[in-house]
Structures are given as C-alpha cells and as structure tokens.
PDB file of all heavy atoms in Angstrom:
ATOM      1  N   THR P 138      31.437   0.888 -21.087  1.00  0.00           N
ATOM      2  CA  THR P 138      31.434   1.939 -20.085  1.00  0.00           C
ATOM      3  C   THR P 138      31.011   1.394 -18.755  1.00  0.00           C
ATOM      4  O   THR P 138      30.477   0.297 -18.639  1.00  0.00           O
ATOM      5  CB  THR P 138      30.469   3.083 -20.461  1.00  0.00           C
ATOM      6  OG1 THR P 138      29.147   2.665 -20.140  1.00  0.00           O
ATOM      7  CG2 THR P 138      30.562   3.462 -21.912  1.00  0.00           C
ATOM      8  N   THR P 139      31.242   2.168 -17.725  1.00  0.00           N
ATOM      9  CA  THR P 139      30.861   1.770 -16.389  1.00  0.00           C
ATOM     10  C   THR P 139      29.410   2.101 -16.104  1.00  0.00           C
ATOM     11  O   THR P 139      28.886   1.716 -15.081  1.00  0.00           O
ATOM     12  CB  THR P 139      31.733   2.496 -15.362  1.00  0.00           C
ATOM     13  OG1 THR P 139      31.542   3.902 -15.513  1.00  0.00           O
ATOM     14  CG2 THR P 139      33.179   2.153 -15.542  1.00  0.00           C
ATOM     15  N   ARG P 140      28.766   2.853 -16.992  1.00  0.00           N
ATOM     16  CA  ARG P 140      27.424   3.333 -16.707  1.00  0.00           C
ATOM     17  C   ARG P 140      26.336   2.521 -17.397  1.00  0.00           C
ATOM     18  O   ARG P 140      25.222   2.443 -16.936  1.00  0.00           O
ATOM     19  CB  ARG P 140      27.302   4.805 -17.126  1.00  0.00           C
ATOM     20  CG  ARG P 140      28.344   5.711 -16.487  1.00  0.00           C
ATOM     21  CD  ARG P 140      28.167   5.810 -14.978  1.00  0.00           C
ATOM     22  NE  ARG P 140      29.281   6.516 -14.360  1.00  0.00           N
ATOM     23  CZ  ARG P 140      29.366   7.839 -14.271  1.00  0.00           C
ATOM     24  NH1 ARG P 140      28.423   8.596 -14.748  1.00  0.00           N
ATOM     25  NH2 ARG P 140      30.402   8.390 -13.683  1.00  0.00           N
ATOM     26  N   THR P 141      26.626   1.933 -18.537  1.00  0.00           N
ATOM     27  CA  THR P 141      25.607   1.202 -19.276  1.00  0.00           C
ATOM     28  C   THR P 141      26.208  -0.095 -19.782  1.00  0.00           C
ATOM     29  O   THR P 141      27.054  -0.087 -20.654  1.00  0.00           O
ATOM     30  CB  THR P 141      25.086   2.028 -20.463  1.00  0.00           C
ATOM     31  OG1 THR P 141      24.606   3.270 -19.975  1.00  0.00           O
ATOM     32  CG2 THR P 141      23.980   1.296 -21.188  1.00  0.00           C
ATOM     33  N   ASN P 142      25.808  -1.224 -19.211  1.00  0.00           N
ATOM     34  CA  ASN P 142      26.347  -2.505 -19.631  1.00  0.00           C
ATOM     35  C   ASN P 142      25.245  -3.446 -20.100  1.00  0.00           C
ATOM     36  O   ASN P 142      25.466  -4.639 -20.241  1.00  0.00           O
ATOM     37  CB  ASN P 142      27.111  -3.145 -18.466  1.00  0.00           C
ATOM     38  CG  ASN P 142      28.341  -2.343 -18.109  1.00  0.00           C
ATOM     39  OD1 ASN P 142      29.224  -2.178 -18.927  1.00  0.00           O
ATOM     40  ND2 ASN P 142      28.390  -1.827 -16.898  1.00  0.00           N
ATOM     41  N   ASP P 143      24.009  -2.937 -20.314  1.00  0.00           N
ATOM     42  CA  ASP P 143      22.876  -3.764 -20.674  1.00  0.00           C
ATOM     43  C   ASP P 143      22.764  -3.864 -22.185  1.00  0.00           C
ATOM     44  O   ASP P 143      22.019  -3.118 -22.828  1.00  0.00           O
ATOM     45  CB  ASP P 143      21.614  -3.182 -20.057  1.00  0.00           C
ATOM     46  CG  ASP P 143      20.433  -4.149 -20.151  1.00  0.00           C
ATOM     47  OD1 ASP P 143      20.549  -5.132 -20.914  1.00  0.00           O
ATOM     48  OD2 ASP P 143      19.422  -3.916 -19.486  1.00  0.00           O
ATOM     49  N   ALA P 144      23.490  -4.804 -22.756  1.00  0.00           N
ATOM     50  CA  ALA P 144      23.479  -4.970 -24.216  1.00  0.00           C
ATOM     51  C   ALA P 144      22.099  -5.355 -24.715  1.00  0.00           C
ATOM     52  O   ALA P 144      21.683  -4.963 -25.809  1.00  0.00           O
ATOM     53  CB  ALA P 144      24.515  -6.010 -24.627  1.00  0.00           C
ATOM     54  N   ALA P 145      21.380  -6.148 -23.919  1.00  0.00           N
ATOM     55  CA  ALA P 145      20.042  -6.575 -24.333  1.00  0.00           C
ATOM     56  C   ALA P 145      19.102  -5.376 -24.465  1.00  0.00           C
ATOM     57  O   ALA P 145      18.292  -5.310 -25.394  1.00  0.00           O
ATOM     58  CB  ALA P 145      19.479  -7.578 -23.330  1.00  0.00           C
ATOM     59  N   ARG P 146      19.217  -4.421 -23.551  1.00  0.00           N
ATOM     60  CA  ARG P 146      18.374  -3.231 -23.622  1.00  0.00           C
ATOM     61  C   ARG P 146      18.714  -2.405 -24.853  1.00  0.00           C
ATOM     62  O   ARG P 146      17.819  -1.890 -25.542  1.00  0.00           O
ATOM     63  CB  ARG P 146      18.544  -2.391 -22.350  1.00  0.00           C
ATOM     64  CG  ARG P 146      17.752  -1.083 -22.345  1.00  0.00           C
ATOM     65  CD  ARG P 146      16.270  -1.329 -22.496  1.00  0.00           C
ATOM     66  NE  ARG P 146      15.498  -0.083 -22.444  1.00  0.00           N
ATOM     67  CZ  ARG P 146      14.263   0.031 -22.902  1.00  0.00           C
ATOM     68  NH1 ARG P 146      13.634  -1.014 -23.439  1.00  0.00           N
ATOM     69  NH2 ARG P 146      13.625   1.178 -22.813  1.00  0.00           N
ATOM     70  N   ILE P 147      19.984  -2.265 -25.160  1.00  0.00           N
ATOM     71  CA  ILE P 147      20.386  -1.508 -26.341  1.00  0.00           C
ATOM     72  C   ILE P 147      19.843  -2.173 -27.603  1.00  0.00           C
ATOM     73  O   ILE P 147      19.317  -1.502 -28.492  1.00  0.00           O
ATOM     74  CB  ILE P 147      21.920  -1.377 -26.401  1.00  0.00           C
ATOM     75  CG1 ILE P 147      22.412  -0.456 -25.274  1.00  0.00           C
ATOM     76  CG2 ILE P 147      22.376  -0.843 -27.766  1.00  0.00           C
ATOM     77  CD1 ILE P 147      23.913  -0.405 -25.125  1.00  0.00           C
ATOM     78  N   THR P 148      19.955  -3.498 -27.681  1.00  0.00           N
ATOM     79  CA  THR P 148      19.420  -4.227 -28.834  1.00  0.00           C
ATOM     80  C   THR P 148      17.921  -4.000 -28.978  1.00  0.00           C
ATOM     81  O   THR P 148      17.415  -3.769 -30.085  1.00  0.00           O
ATOM     82  CB  THR P 148      19.712  -5.726 -28.692  1.00  0.00           C
ATOM     83  OG1 THR P 148      21.123  -5.929 -28.639  1.00  0.00           O
ATOM     84  CG2 THR P 148      19.130  -6.512 -29.863  1.00  0.00           C
ATOM     85  N   GLN P 149      17.211  -4.046 -27.855  1.00  0.00           N
ATOM     86  CA  GLN P 149      15.767  -3.818 -27.875  1.00  0.00           C
ATOM     87  C   GLN P 149      15.426  -2.423 -28.387  1.00  0.00           C
ATOM     88  O   GLN P 149      14.511  -2.235 -29.197  1.00  0.00           O
ATOM     89  CB  GLN P 149      15.208  -4.011 -26.465  1.00  0.00           C
ATOM     90  CG  GLN P 149      13.703  -3.813 -26.346  1.00  0.00           C
ATOM     91  CD  GLN P 149      13.238  -3.905 -24.901  1.00  0.00           C
ATOM     92  OE1 GLN P 149      13.926  -3.492 -23.988  1.00  0.00           O
ATOM     93  NE2 GLN P 149      12.051  -4.466 -24.703  1.00  0.00           N
ATOM     94  N   LEU P 150      16.187  -1.428 -27.935  1.00  0.00           N
ATOM     95  CA  LEU P 150      15.923  -0.058 -28.359  1.00  0.00           C
ATOM     96  C   LEU P 150      16.212   0.145 -29.842  1.00  0.00           C
ATOM     97  O   LEU P 150      15.479   0.863 -30.531  1.00  0.00           O
ATOM     98  CB  LEU P 150      16.767   0.908 -27.526  1.00  0.00           C
ATOM     99  CG  LEU P 150      16.339   1.069 -26.073  1.00  0.00           C
ATOM    100  CD1 LEU P 150      17.414   1.808 -25.282  1.00  0.00           C
ATOM    101  CD2 LEU P 150      15.010   1.816 -25.984  1.00  0.00           C
ATOM    102  N   VAL P 151      17.285  -0.477 -30.336  1.00  0.00           N
ATOM    103  CA  VAL P 151      17.598  -0.368 -31.767  1.00  0.00           C
ATOM    104  C   VAL P 151      16.467  -0.964 -32.592  1.00  0.00           C
ATOM    105  O   VAL P 151      16.045  -0.384 -33.601  1.00  0.00           O
ATOM    106  CB  VAL P 151      18.944  -1.046 -32.083  1.00  0.00           C
ATOM    107  CG1 VAL P 151      19.164  -1.116 -33.589  1.00  0.00           C
ATOM    108  CG2 VAL P 151      20.099  -0.284 -31.427  1.00  0.00           C
ATOM    109  N   GLU P 152      15.947  -2.110 -32.174  1.00  0.00           N
ATOM    110  CA  GLU P 152      14.816  -2.715 -32.884  1.00  0.00           C
ATOM    111  C   GLU P 152      13.585  -1.808 -32.825  1.00  0.00           C
ATOM    112  O   GLU P 152      12.818  -1.703 -33.785  1.00  0.00           O
ATOM    113  CB  GLU P 152      14.497  -4.076 -32.277  1.00  0.00           C
ATOM    114  CG  GLU P 152      15.580  -5.120 -32.527  1.00  0.00           C
ATOM    115  CD  GLU P 152      15.323  -6.415 -31.783  1.00  0.00           C
ATOM    116  OE1 GLU P 152      14.373  -6.462 -30.968  1.00  0.00           O
ATOM    117  OE2 GLU P 152      16.081  -7.374 -32.014  1.00  0.00           O
ATOM    118  N   GLN P 153      13.436  -1.101 -31.701  1.00  0.00           N
ATOM    119  CA  GLN P 153      12.276  -0.228 -31.513  1.00  0.00           C
ATOM    120  C   GLN P 153      12.328   0.997 -32.419  1.00  0.00           C
ATOM    121  O   GLN P 153      11.315   1.672 -32.624  1.00  0.00           O
ATOM    122  CB  GLN P 153      12.203   0.193 -30.042  1.00  0.00           C
ATOM    123  CG  GLN P 153      10.895   0.869 -29.639  1.00  0.00           C
ATOM    124  CD  GLN P 153      10.855   1.169 -28.152  1.00  0.00           C
ATOM    125  OE1 GLN P 153      11.264   0.351 -27.334  1.00  0.00           O
ATOM    126  NE2 GLN P 153      10.373   2.366 -27.793  1.00  0.00           N
ATOM    127  N   LEU P 154      13.511   1.287 -32.986  1.00  0.00           N
ATOM    128  CA  LEU P 154      13.598   2.389 -33.948  1.00  0.00           C
ATOM    129  C   LEU P 154      12.693   2.159 -35.152  1.00  0.00           C
ATOM    130  O   LEU P 154      12.348   3.102 -35.866  1.00  0.00           O
ATOM    131  CB  LEU P 154      15.044   2.568 -34.415  1.00  0.00           C
ATOM    132  CG  LEU P 154      16.058   3.057 -33.384  1.00  0.00           C
ATOM    133  CD1 LEU P 154      17.458   3.053 -33.972  1.00  0.00           C
ATOM    134  CD2 LEU P 154      15.698   4.456 -32.876  1.00  0.00           C
ATOM    135  N   GLY P 155      12.308   0.906 -35.382  1.00  0.00           N
ATOM    136  CA  GLY P 155      11.421   0.588 -36.491  1.00  0.00           C
ATOM    137  C   GLY P 155      10.024   0.200 -36.046  1.00  0.00           C
ATOM    138  O   GLY P 155       9.283  -0.399 -36.821  1.00  0.00           O
ATOM    139  N   ALA P 156       9.662   0.526 -34.804  1.00  0.00           N
ATOM    140  CA  ALA P 156       8.351   0.155 -34.273  1.00  0.00           C
ATOM    141  C   ALA P 156       7.225   0.812 -35.060  1.00  0.00           C
ATOM    142  O   ALA P 156       7.406   1.858 -35.696  1.00  0.00           O
ATOM    143  CB  ALA P 156       8.259   0.555 -32.796  1.00  0.00           C
ATOM    144  N   GLY P 157       6.052   0.213 -34.976  1.00  0.00           N
ATOM    145  CA  GLY P 157       4.914   0.723 -35.735  1.00  0.00           C
ATOM    146  C   GLY P 157       4.427   2.088 -35.277  1.00  0.00           C
ATOM    147  O   GLY P 157       3.952   2.883 -36.084  1.00  0.00           O
ATOM    148  N   GLY P 158       4.567   2.388 -33.994  1.00  0.00           N
ATOM    149  CA  GLY P 158       4.099   3.667 -33.488  1.00  0.00           C
ATOM    150  C   GLY P 158       5.186   4.722 -33.472  1.00  0.00           C
ATOM    151  O   GLY P 158       6.311   4.471 -33.044  1.00  0.00           O
ATOM    152  N   TYR P 159       4.855   5.919 -33.973  1.00  0.00           N
ATOM    153  CA  TYR P 159       5.827   7.010 -34.028  1.00  0.00           C
ATOM    154  C   TYR P 159       6.376   7.339 -32.642  1.00  0.00           C
ATOM    155  O   TYR P 159       7.578   7.571 -32.475  1.00  0.00           O
ATOM    156  CB  TYR P 159       5.169   8.245 -34.637  1.00  0.00           C
ATOM    157  CG  TYR P 159       6.051   9.473 -34.670  1.00  0.00           C
ATOM    158  CD1 TYR P 159       7.051   9.608 -35.623  1.00  0.00           C
ATOM    159  CD2 TYR P 159       5.880  10.492 -33.727  1.00  0.00           C
ATOM    160  CE1 TYR P 159       7.865  10.730 -35.652  1.00  0.00           C
ATOM    161  CE2 TYR P 159       6.688  11.622 -33.749  1.00  0.00           C
ATOM    162  CZ  TYR P 159       7.671  11.731 -34.705  1.00  0.00           C
ATOM    163  OH  TYR P 159       8.479  12.850 -34.728  1.00  0.00           O
ATOM    164  N   ALA P 160       5.499   7.360 -31.637  1.00  0.00           N
ATOM    165  CA  ALA P 160       5.931   7.707 -30.287  1.00  0.00           C
ATOM    166  C   ALA P 160       6.970   6.718 -29.766  1.00  0.00           C
ATOM    167  O   ALA P 160       7.934   7.111 -29.094  1.00  0.00           O
ATOM    168  CB  ALA P 160       4.731   7.760 -29.342  1.00  0.00           C
ATOM    169  N   LYS P 161       6.782   5.431 -30.093  1.00  0.00           N
ATOM    170  CA  LYS P 161       7.751   4.421 -29.654  1.00  0.00           C
ATOM    171  C   LYS P 161       9.097   4.614 -30.342  1.00  0.00           C
ATOM    172  O   LYS P 161      10.153   4.468 -29.727  1.00  0.00           O
ATOM    173  CB  LYS P 161       7.208   3.016 -29.946  1.00  0.00           C
ATOM    174  CG  LYS P 161       6.106   2.568 -29.016  1.00  0.00           C
ATOM    175  CD  LYS P 161       5.733   1.115 -29.283  1.00  0.00           C
ATOM    176  CE  LYS P 161       4.687   0.619 -28.300  1.00  0.00           C
ATOM    177  NZ  LYS P 161       4.337  -0.804 -28.539  1.00  0.00           N
ATOM    178  N   ARG P 162       9.060   4.942 -31.628  1.00  0.00           N
ATOM    179  CA  ARG P 162      10.320   5.170 -32.356  1.00  0.00           C
ATOM    180  C   ARG P 162      11.066   6.369 -31.769  1.00  0.00           C
ATOM    181  O   ARG P 162      12.285   6.327 -31.571  1.00  0.00           O
ATOM    182  CB  ARG P 162      10.047   5.395 -33.847  1.00  0.00           C
ATOM    183  CG  ARG P 162       9.431   4.194 -34.552  1.00  0.00           C
ATOM    184  CD  ARG P 162       9.547   4.304 -36.057  1.00  0.00           C
ATOM    185  NE  ARG P 162       8.845   5.458 -36.608  1.00  0.00           N
ATOM    186  CZ  ARG P 162       7.563   5.476 -36.965  1.00  0.00           C
ATOM    187  NH1 ARG P 162       6.818   4.378 -36.792  1.00  0.00           N
ATOM    188  NH2 ARG P 162       6.996   6.552 -37.491  1.00  0.00           N
ATOM    189  N   GLU P 163      10.329   7.442 -31.479  1.00  0.00           N
ATOM    190  CA  GLU P 163      10.945   8.645 -30.911  1.00  0.00           C
ATOM    191  C   GLU P 163      11.511   8.371 -29.529  1.00  0.00           C
ATOM    192  O   GLU P 163      12.596   8.845 -29.175  1.00  0.00           O
ATOM    193  CB  GLU P 163       9.907   9.768 -30.838  1.00  0.00           C
ATOM    194  CG  GLU P 163       9.554  10.369 -32.181  1.00  0.00           C
ATOM    195  CD  GLU P 163      10.701  11.197 -32.737  1.00  0.00           C
ATOM    196  OE1 GLU P 163      10.997  12.251 -32.164  1.00  0.00           O
ATOM    197  OE2 GLU P 163      11.299  10.774 -33.754  1.00  0.00           O
ATOM    198  N   ALA P 164      10.784   7.598 -28.716  1.00  0.00           N
ATOM    199  CA  ALA P 164      11.251   7.282 -27.362  1.00  0.00           C
ATOM    200  C   ALA P 164      12.537   6.462 -27.415  1.00  0.00           C
ATOM    201  O   ALA P 164      13.481   6.704 -26.637  1.00  0.00           O
ATOM    202  CB  ALA P 164      10.168   6.519 -26.601  1.00  0.00           C
ATOM    203  N   ALA P 165      12.596   5.493 -28.334  1.00  0.00           N
ATOM    204  CA  ALA P 165      13.804   4.676 -28.474  1.00  0.00           C
ATOM    205  C   ALA P 165      14.987   5.531 -28.908  1.00  0.00           C
ATOM    206  O   ALA P 165      16.107   5.377 -28.393  1.00  0.00           O
ATOM    207  CB  ALA P 165      13.566   3.562 -29.489  1.00  0.00           C
ATOM    208  N   GLU P 166      14.753   6.459 -29.833  1.00  0.00           N
ATOM    209  CA  GLU P 166      15.837   7.324 -30.306  1.00  0.00           C
ATOM    210  C   GLU P 166      16.363   8.208 -29.174  1.00  0.00           C
ATOM    211  O   GLU P 166      17.578   8.387 -29.028  1.00  0.00           O
ATOM    212  CB  GLU P 166      15.351   8.172 -31.471  1.00  0.00           C
ATOM    213  CG  GLU P 166      16.457   8.984 -32.119  1.00  0.00           C
ATOM    214  CD  GLU P 166      16.048   9.555 -33.466  1.00  0.00           C
ATOM    215  OE1 GLU P 166      15.187   8.958 -34.140  1.00  0.00           O
ATOM    216  OE2 GLU P 166      16.606  10.606 -33.830  1.00  0.00           O
ATOM    217  N   ARG P 167      15.454   8.745 -28.363  1.00  0.00           N
ATOM    218  CA  ARG P 167      15.890   9.591 -27.250  1.00  0.00           C
ATOM    219  C   ARG P 167      16.722   8.798 -26.243  1.00  0.00           C
ATOM    220  O   ARG P 167      17.744   9.285 -25.752  1.00  0.00           O
ATOM    221  CB  ARG P 167      14.677  10.212 -26.555  1.00  0.00           C
ATOM    222  CG  ARG P 167      14.018  11.350 -27.319  1.00  0.00           C
ATOM    223  CD  ARG P 167      13.059  12.117 -26.423  1.00  0.00           C
ATOM    224  NE  ARG P 167      11.993  11.267 -25.902  1.00  0.00           N
ATOM    225  CZ  ARG P 167      10.838  11.054 -26.531  1.00  0.00           C
ATOM    226  NH1 ARG P 167      10.600  11.625 -27.701  1.00  0.00           N
ATOM    227  NH2 ARG P 167       9.908  10.275 -25.989  1.00  0.00           N
ATOM    228  N   GLU P 168      16.283   7.578 -25.942  1.00  0.00           N
ATOM    229  CA  GLU P 168      17.018   6.777 -24.951  1.00  0.00           C
ATOM    230  C   GLU P 168      18.382   6.353 -25.484  1.00  0.00           C
ATOM    231  O   GLU P 168      19.376   6.365 -24.749  1.00  0.00           O
ATOM    232  CB  GLU P 168      16.197   5.557 -24.541  1.00  0.00           C
ATOM    233  CG  GLU P 168      16.814   4.814 -23.366  1.00  0.00           C
ATOM    234  CD  GLU P 168      15.912   3.750 -22.760  1.00  0.00           C
ATOM    235  OE1 GLU P 168      14.680   3.795 -23.013  1.00  0.00           O
ATOM    236  OE2 GLU P 168      16.428   2.879 -22.043  1.00  0.00           O
TER     237      GLU P 168
END
C-alpha cells in the first residue's frame, strides 16, 4: 500500500503479540 511500507515495524508488532505484558499485546493488536 501507499500508506504503510514499514515491514520492520509490522514484524515487530507481530512479535509483540506474544509479549509478556498484557498491555503490550493489546497495543500491538490494535496497531
């Protein structure tokens, strides 16, 4: 897409879906 080309950020957020803190997992899912 023309709006989101940051593959590294997406990879980071996917990994954060398994973060130790619930708030971090929820934040990654929302983003």
Side-chain angles (χ1 to χ4, degrees):
T138 79
T139 60
R140 305 294 172 84
T141 304
N142 294 299
D143 192 346
R146 177 59 178 161
I147 291 172
T148 299
Q149 180 185 35
L150 289 168
V151 172
E152 292 173 353
Q153 192 176 318
L154 293 175
Y159 176 77
K161 286 186 176 181
R162 297 196 298 273
E163 287 289 292
E166 186 166 332
R167 285 194 300 272
E168 189 169 342

